[in-house]
Amino acid sequence: MIALGALLLLAAQAPELPAPLETQQVAGLAFAPPLDRPLTYRVTTRRLGRDGGFTSFALVYDLRWQRVGRGYQLLARIDRVESDAHPEVVRTLRLMIDPLIGETLTYFVPADGSSVDMVDPDGLWRRVVDRAQALAESSDRPEAKQAAQIIAALPPAERDKLASADIRALVVPANGAIPNGADGPIMTVTVAGRRTISASEPPAAGAAQPIEADTRWTIDLATGLLAEERRQSFLTTGSAADRKLVEERIRALEPGDPD
């Protein structure tokens, strides 16, 4: 079930965000995304392997914001996949993501940035399923057919999660994961138009392995967009000195190549 494992890796990279609550939003944050210029959005996951080294997997998006009606339209295209994993693992991962590569995903965001909604998600997924089936028919690998079957059988909630979780994380007012002072102990620093919020999560009660997570969000206050998010997960035996990094996810926004 290699293809299923690949899908689970992709799903873990884009966890579902909690709904934005008033106590979670950054107070007084302006939302003014940069219009009609390219942006590059890179979402990278690094995981500790059995050999003691880290393997990385990244989705690279091309983004462009446009003004439309009383809000904004975001055009997002997955441009490519980058990975330093074993070639066979990369080929399998590509079976799951290739049907989305090059596809333009369109989202509507209201003027205050409070939500992110995909335009015509059913039409998108029909195209993705058709491309997955076409790739399976042209391949002699049984994993390709298995991947096409998994993609076709995904329920709507999982489709939305895979296609939209990274984008919702980018729009700070819609990102319910960013804490505010009411959500527990956090540290906030504002320098040169950017606000950095840091928070830690203790191990879950009853978990098989004690995993702590530290997350740092850097927000561009002029645009209301996430400049960077870095989430690090540590295996710990009790003391800070014994913590061992086992996974890291980095979302980073940067200027794109000019047309």
Side-chain angles (χ1 to χ4, degrees), residues 1-6 88 91-96 132-133 135-151:
M1 297 292 285
I2 299 177
L4 178 58
E88 179 62 24
R91 282 194 295 270
T92 301
L93 288 168
R94 299 235 12 167
L95 291 174
M96 303 304 302
Q133 291 175 342
L135 289 169
E137 290 171 1
S138 64
S139 174
D140 58 0
R141 300 180 63 195
E143 294 93 339
K145 295 177 174 57
Q146 183 187 23
Q149 292 170 355
I150 293 172
I151 290 171

Side-chain angles (χ1 to χ4, degrees), residues 105-108 116-121 124 159-160 163-164 168:
L105 286 64
T106 304
Y107 301 87
F108 176 76
V116 177
D117 296 306
M118 181 180 290
V119 177
D120 190 21
L124 166 70
R159 300 174 191 173
D160 180 75
S164 302
R168 291 197 177 97

Side-chain angles (χ1 to χ4, degrees), residues 31 65 74 109 112-116 166-176 178 224-226:
F31 184 67
W65 288 92
L74 173 61
V109 181
D112 62 357
S114 58
S115 62
V116 177
D166 287 331
I167 302 300
R168 291 197 177 97
L170 174 68
V171 179
V172 172
N175 185 336
I178 300 177
L225 296 177
L226 189 74

Side-chain angles (χ1 to χ4, degrees), residues 182-198:
D183 298 303
I186 63 171
M187 183 172 65
T188 302
V189 178
T190 302
V191 178
R194 290 194 168 187
R195 180 170 299 162
T196 299
I197 300 173
S198 303

Side-chain angles (χ1 to χ4, degrees), residues 176-237:
I178 300 177
N180 221 338
D183 298 303
I186 63 171
M187 183 172 65
T188 302
V189 178
T190 302
V191 178
R194 290 194 168 187
R195 180 170 299 162
T196 299
I197 300 173
S198 303
S200 297
E201 301 171 27
Q209 292 184 313
I211 300 292
E212 295 180 350
D214 294 342
T215 309
R216 184 177 71 240
W217 298 267
T218 301
I219 300 164
D220 185 332
L221 297 178
T223 64
L225 296 177
L226 189 74
E228 183 181 274
E229 174 194 305
R230 185 179 297 265
R231 179 181 176 85
Q232 295 179 311
S233 298
F234 298 88
L235 179 64
T236 179
T237 57

